[in-house]
Amino acid sequence: MARVTDATNVSSAAGRDDDSAGDEAPATATATAVDERSDGAARAGDESLVATPAPRTGSWFDDTWRRMTATPRLLRRTEWIMLGAVTLLAALLRLVGLSHPGSLVFDETFYVKDAWTLVNLGYEGTWPENANDSWAAGDPNTYSSDASYVVHPPFGKLVIGLGLLLFGAENPFAWRASVAIIGVAAVVLLWFVARKLLGSPVLATIGAGMLAIDGHAIVMSRVAILDGILMFFVLLGAYFVLLDRDDQRGQLQGRILAWRRTDGPPEGRGPDGLPLAPVPTPFWSTARAPTWPTLGPDWGPVLWARPWLLAAAVTFALASSVKWSGLYFLAAFCLYTIAVDALERRRQGVTFWLSAAVLKQGPASFVITIPAALAVYIASWSGWLATTGGFYRTWAEEAGHAWTGLLSWVPLPLQSLWHYSVEAYRFHTGLGADHPYQSSPLEWPFLIRPTAFSYTYSDPSPSCSGVETCVEAITSISNPLIWWSGTVAILFIAIMSFLQPRWQYGFVLVGFAAGYLPWMAYLQRQAVFHFYAIVYLPFMILAVLFVFQTIAGTPDSPRRLRTAGVAAIGGVVVLFALVSALFLPVWTGMLIPDWYWSLTHWLPGWK
């Protein structure tokens, strides 16, 4: 009986579509053949024939998985159950007790109040000194219409403002509702990204579960600041890039095959007139034509129908409208699509494959992505542009400020927006305020200095008794085992990209690099925090999944090795869950004894 679920096993290679026989069918067939041969040998008087049983492969997990996914319907049902379970877990950890604490925490003091004025005024207004006390008392309307100077684009605050409008700004749940829902959606999205990359719903569930129980992701979903929103839109844009990759490669293959069928050289077609399999072009041929005729076109087609690439550009623009660091992902993944195009053209035998991707497809991809991204970013400022009260809104209308010469045609509001952006960039790059929880990007891979969002000491109470001091803390620290595993896994796939290249490794490394490497240019800046790293946490988790896949082997591995690998992964996942259970009180602001809080200070910088 053909096995149709190999690609869904815990360690099956991404894109694996070869069907292999199940364990029971080969054993039965072998036994029957041996019996028949033995009977024949006995009749012939030959007693030298000895039956050799086939070695067993797979593990108990593979046996169970085959039963759970024996039909396409069972497979779909199992996948939905797994996705539903991890989504429920994420929702419980993010939504239960979301209104606690009932006061603004950390940078909520900026973003929640800015969000409320943004949805009411169209721009960020100013607040009196006691505004936080008013919020806690249920009065969110003490703001004035005077403009406030802010240094992040509006979209993330508009997302927070949507929750305020839906649930009421006086309700602490409303302050964080949008961010929490997006945090749950990020877990679901990571499941689909991992499913597509690795071809395994089991690994996808493990990866989504890791994000669901990671403290960094939990805190950034329970506190109304911008970085969790940024992470979601970056991950969504990356998923659209994955979908575009399939579409892009399919279009190239189809267009080049059609060319070879009709206009290509005759030697590229067999006796039946059908094109032969494409021969990859040598790497050096992109600089000069080979001395022999090639089977592919010189350049290949230009692809204009790229809906998923357009969707990715729009999504990365939304990420950039939350924080400008989203621009790095837009640039990195646009370059990634050019690389994918170049390698596919080479595989299809295109002569000048690199120059075709860069100089022919590259400008078309630019036209598809950049104007749309720019339009979306400007649209995110529509409230500021449609009013005149925002900070710097009328700058270009003041004497001597309007542009002259070639750029004089640019509308004055856009000139003012450009000036605002330049000033905000100067603020970011020159920010030198010292902070007790600042953390250099060089420390991020090692989790040296996570950010404590709040901590309050109090006397014992009925929920915290028998001790001298209790503490209520919220610290945006990742599950240490998950984070350190992610750091090691990134190094692993970086090395494996040279030893055993896979396109999936490149995708993960591009996402990680776009989130981390740009910070190397700002090492001199003081006010930098570890919670910025949330944006590339999903790519670290994806790297861990590839390590798990390598450890587990394949369903065809010897049974002892396969069982040991699957058991090892199961043990690691259990450790992840136990550590998350230990740290959960300091992620959600539970009242705990001071000694318990000390248990979570594994390194000096965690205090």
Side-chain angles (χ1 to χ4, degrees):
M1 179 178 66
R3 187 170 68 213
V4 298
T5 59
D6 281 353
T8 63
N9 279 281
V10 66
S11 66
S12 57
R16 179 185 177 119
D17 48 0
D18 57 307
D19 293 336
S20 57
D23 289 343
E24 297 180 1
T28 303
T30 302
T32 302
V34 170
D35 289 344
E36 292 177 352
R37 293 176 62 189
S38 298
D39 291 343
R43 287 192 297 269
D46 184 358
E47 299 179 356
S48 62
L49 182 62
V50 179
T52 303
R56 297 187 69 192
T57 60
S59 69
W60 56 268
F61 174 82
D62 298 295
D63 299 338
T64 304
W65 182 256
R66 277 195 297 272
R67 290 192 295 268
M68 295 172 59
T69 60
T71 66
R73 181 179 179 182
L74 285 174
L75 174 60
R76 286 193 300 270
R77 186 183 70 178
T78 301
E79 289 188 346
W80 281 113
I81 291 174
M82 297 169 76
L83 176 59
V86 76
T87 303
L88 177 61
L89 175 63
L92 291 174
L93 292 174
R94 284 153 177 79
L95 295 173
V96 173
L98 187 61
S99 58
H100 176 76
S103 57
L104 296 173
V105 174
F106 195 59
D107 282 354
E108 283 185 335
T109 187
F110 303 116
Y111 300 124
V112 173
K113 291 184 296 186
D114 284 346
W116 187 234
T117 57
L118 193 60
V119 298
N120 282 280
L121 301 174
Y123 58 90
E124 293 88 348
T126 58
W127 296 83
E129 292 185 1
N130 63 343
N132 285 8
D133 295 334
S134 300
W135 272 88
D139 182 8
N141 296 314
T142 60
Y143 60 87
S144 74
S145 60
D146 295 337
S148 175
Y149 180 55
V150 297
V151 292
H152 290 301
F155 182 65
K157 288 165 281 187
L158 288 172
V159 172
I160 295 172
L162 179 60
L164 299 175
L165 292 175
L166 290 176
F167 301 104
E170 70 284 350
N171 181 2
F173 178 87
W175 309 344
R176 303 156 185 146
S178 295
V179 177
I181 292 171
I182 279 183
V184 177
V187 172
V188 176
L189 180 58
L190 182 61
W191 190 94
F192 284 100
V193 172
R195 178 70 175 85
K196 190 161 188 64
L197 271 179
L198 294 110
S200 167
V202 176
L203 283 173
T205 303
I206 292 174
M210 289 167 63
L211 187 63
I213 67 172
D214 181 78
H216 203 174
I218 291 172
V219 173
M220 302 307 290
S221 300
R222 294 178 63 93
V223 177
I225 60 178
L226 302 180
D227 298 81
I229 304 172
L230 172 65
M231 180 265 285
F232 171 79
F233 282 101
V234 162
L235 188 58
L236 181 60
Y239 182 59
F240 288 149
V241 169
L242 277 181
L243 298 179
D244 174 71
R245 180 185 180 276
D246 289 346
D247 184 50
Q248 176 186 21
R249 295 176 70 245
Q251 288 192 57
L252 276 176
Q253 292 173 12
R255 296 275 292 276
I256 293 175
L257 181 64
W259 177 87
R260 295 180 59 211
R261 186 180 293 115
T262 56
D263 301 327
E267 57 268 27
R269 295 190 289 271
D272 54 2
L274 297 177
L276 301 173
V279 178
T281 309
F283 274 102
W284 48 260
S285 73
T286 194
R288 64 180 186 275
T291 56
W292 65 88
T294 58
L295 303 184
D298 288 342
W299 288 66
V302 176
L303 305 180
W304 287 100
R306 302 280 293 278
W308 293 118
L309 180 61
L310 177 61
V314 169
T315 308
F316 286 131
L318 290 175
S320 305
S321 302
V322 176
K323 277 191 167 184
W324 283 346
S325 51
L327 288 171
Y328 297 124
F329 291 89
L330 173 64
F333 278 105
C334 281
L335 293 176
Y336 172 81
T337 64
I338 297 298
V340 169
D341 184 87
L343 294 176
E344 182 59 28
R345 288 174 191 263
R346 176 182 175 271
R347 197 173 74 87
Q348 293 296 323
V350 174
T351 303
F352 303 108
W353 52 275
L354 182 58
S355 53
V358 175
L359 301 178
K360 191 172 183 179
Q361 181 60 49
S365 298
F366 181 92
V367 171
I368 293 171
T369 56
I370 303 306
L374 181 61
V376 168
Y377 178 78
I378 293 175
S380 73
W381 287 85
S382 58
W384 184 87
L385 292 168
T387 59
T388 58
F391 206 88
Y392 282 136
R393 171 59 183 81
T394 59
W395 175 87
E397 299 171 21
E398 299 172 5
H401 287 170
W403 298 345
T404 59
L406 293 177
L407 297 177
S408 60
W409 59 271
V410 177
L412 294 181
L414 294 183
Q415 294 184 32
S416 297
L417 178 58
W418 176 261
H419 176 74
Y420 195 168
S421 302
V422 170
E423 292 301 314
Y425 180 75
R426 289 174 180 170
F427 173 87
H428 284 299
T429 55
L431 189 59
D434 200 10
H435 193 282
Y437 284 96
Q438 65 191 33
S439 175
S440 168
L442 296 176
E443 299 175 345
W444 294 357
F446 311 105
L447 200 59
I448 300 297
R449 188 60 168 165
T451 310
F453 283 5
S454 72
Y455 54 90
T456 304
Y457 289 96
S458 63
D459 295 329
S461 67
S463 60
C464 178
S465 59
V467 294
E468 293 185 0
T469 306
C470 297
V471 63
E472 190 175 288
I474 299 176
T475 303
S476 66
I477 181 173
S478 273
N479 178 310
L481 297 188
I482 291 178
W483 185 265
W484 290 330
S485 297
T487 298
V488 173
I490 287 292
L491 292 176
F492 170 80
I493 67 171
I495 295 171
M496 293 299 292
S497 295
F498 294 96
L499 301 179
Q500 296 179 3
R502 292 176 61 182
W503 69 265
Q504 293 93 336
Y505 294 159
F507 175 87
V508 174
L509 291 174
V510 166
F512 174 81
Y516 180 62
L517 292 184
W519 287 103
M520 297 298 102
Y522 303 102
L523 293 177
Q524 78 284 356
R525 177 178 154 179
Q526 288 181 295
V528 177
F529 304 94
H530 183 268
F531 69 84
Y532 296 166
I534 186 65
V535 71
Y536 61 78
L537 174 61
F539 297 97
M540 297 177 71
I541 290 175
L542 290 171
V544 172
L545 297 183
F546 281 107
V547 174
F548 284 171
Q549 188 180 69
T550 303
I551 293 173
T554 71
D556 299 325
S557 301
R559 195 168 185 87
R560 179 177 298 178
L561 292 178
R562 172 70 165 170
T563 299
V566 171
I569 293 170
V572 171
V573 171
V574 170
L575 283 177
F576 288 166
L578 292 175
V579 172
S580 286
L582 172 68
F583 278 81
L584 185 61
V586 300
W587 295 335
T588 57
M590 296 181 186
L591 188 64
I592 55 176
D594 183 49
W595 62 263
Y596 189 106
W597 193 36
S598 299
L599 287 179
T600 64
H601 298 158
W602 294 6
L603 297 179
W606 296 7
K607 296 181 179 179

